[in-house]
Amino acid sequence: MSLFFVQGLNGLQFGVLLFLMAAGLTLVFGIMNFVNLAHGSLYMMGAFIAASLYNFTGSFWLATVGMIPAISLLGLIMERIALYKLYDRDHLDQVLATFGLILFFNELARTIWGSAPYYMQVPEALSGTIALFGIDYPAYRFAIIAVGLLVAALCYLLIHHTRIGMLIRAGSSNRVMVAALGVNIKLLNSMLFALGAALAGVAGLMAGPIMSVQVGMGEPVLILTMVVIVIGGIGSIRGAFLSAIIVGVVDTLGRTALPLVLREFLDRNSANAAGPALASMLIYVLMAAVLAWRPQGLFPVRNG
């Protein structure tokens, strides 16, 4: 039971990390109707920038303060130079353009930081453990969960309880009418893109100390993030949060439980090899089942 409890917490932590990615992509994809495959590259660049600042200053907090405006500025530059003319184009043009940006950022990161993994240490203040029901759990993973919950609350408040959120929701429904009413829709889109980049950067920052920071790290997590958005409902922050938790827990517990189940039918080595492979398929089976049952997602945007 202690194993499943720890893995459940790991699944929650993984789900929260996915939400940090999914929240930014939901704003850009779900609300702006823009397919940004380069969102994973912003996650990668945020991790590299944070790791560089942390290794230079020795302070995780200074790295955080420096990374967020840096990655937001990078997102703004990318949006203004390469992407803003694609808002009214079809999704295929957006996919091709942002795929090109993936290749560009991967080569840029390889040129600056090299091909070898780049490491970032867990901050000293969070390097210990926290006792919970007699089980010691890493404090840093608890910090990831706390940051994710805070970001979820702030995103909900921004979208549903502020004037900017009202304009964002109105712009997602009818951009032409909102612009006709005097709202600077280009500025609003730029703000959304910068916010999405900042959230991707925060995800990279939090993932840095528990994963190796390396070129191409954004693509695998982007695929999972897309799965989260499809399951939750495109454009729904609430759906992104709840489906990210579901995907994180299903993936983590599946990797733990399936090898144990398969040992009843296979030898230990075969079960240990087949279990993780089958577990990695679970979330895609889950997505297919959700699409068959509720094509709009489990928690679609509420209109009206």
Side-chain angles (χ1 to χ4, degrees):
M1 290 302 296
S2 62
L3 172 64
F4 282 98
F5 179 71
V6 170
Q7 290 303 316
L9 287 176
N10 286 340
L12 178 61
Q13 174 257 302
F14 181 46
V16 164
L17 201 59
L18 284 177
F19 169 72
L20 291 175
M21 278 289 290
L25 194 59
T26 293
L27 293 174
V28 175
F29 179 36
I31 295 178
M32 293 171 60
N33 196 31
F34 186 90
V35 182
N36 179 25
L37 296 186
H39 194 72
S41 297
L42 293 172
Y43 163 82
M44 176 189 70
M45 294 301 292
F48 270 118
I49 292 170
S52 299
L53 290 173
Y54 180 63
N55 291 332
F56 178 74
T57 64
S59 170
F60 184 81
W61 316 114
L62 288 178
T64 303
V65 171
M67 182 279 300
I68 292 177
I71 198 66
S72 299
L73 179 61
L74 179 62
L76 273 177
I77 293 172
M78 184 173 74
E79 190 265 347
R80 284 289 88 193
I81 292 177
L83 301 180
Y84 81 99
K85 291 185 178 180
L86 298 172
Y87 287 148
D88 295 324
R89 304 278 286 273
D90 61 36
H91 286 165
L92 179 59
D93 293 338
Q94 298 167 2
V95 166
L96 292 174
T98 53
F99 179 75
L101 286 173
I102 291 176
L103 303 179
F104 169 79
F105 279 116
N106 282 346
E107 290 305 314
L108 178 64
R110 185 176 287 108
T111 301
I112 297 174
W113 289 283
S115 299
Y118 198 76
Y119 293 99
M120 179 180 179
Q121 297 296 322
V122 173
E124 186 176 349
L126 298 172
S127 61
T129 60
I130 296 176
L132 188 65
F133 302 113
I135 297 173
D136 292 332
Y137 193 75
Y140 185 75
R141 291 182 181 269
F142 268 122
I144 294 177
I145 294 172
V147 168
L149 294 177
L150 177 62
V151 169
L154 292 177
C155 286
Y156 179 81
L157 291 175
L158 172 68
I159 298 299
H160 295 282
H161 296 282
T162 66
R163 177 175 173 79
I164 292 178
M166 177 188 69
L167 295 176
I168 290 171
R169 286 181 283 120
S172 67
S173 299
N174 194 326
R175 292 172 55 195
V176 175
M177 180 59 70
V178 172
L181 292 173
V183 176
N184 189 336
I185 198 70
K186 291 183 179 180
L187 177 60
L188 189 64
N189 286 340
S190 296
M191 290 173 56
L192 269 178
F193 213 95
L195 178 58
L199 291 174
V202 170
L205 165 74
M206 301 307 294
I210 58 176
M211 302 178 183
S212 60
V213 181
Q214 57 188 338
V215 175
M217 64 183 289
E219 284 78 81
V221 75
L222 177 67
I223 295 172
L224 290 176
T225 304
M226 290 288 191
V227 171
V228 166
I229 291 176
V230 169
I231 291 175
I234 295 175
S236 171
I237 293 293
R238 178 179 69 106
F241 176 74
L242 294 174
S243 63
I245 300 300
I246 292 172
V247 168
V249 171
V250 167
D251 182 74
T252 305
L253 289 182
R255 293 176 188 277
T256 303
L258 275 178
L260 298 178
V261 173
L262 291 176
R263 285 176 193 172
E264 300 294 328
F265 309 97
L266 303 172
D267 62 88
R268 186 183 185 89
N269 291 334
S270 298
N272 290 340
L278 292 175
S280 64
M281 298 170 55
L282 279 178
I283 57 173
Y284 302 106
V285 173
L286 174 63
M287 181 180 69
V290 169
L291 287 176
W293 176 46
R294 288 173 64 89
Q296 73 274 28
L298 293 178
F299 313 100
V301 177
R302 294 174 179 173
N303 296 317

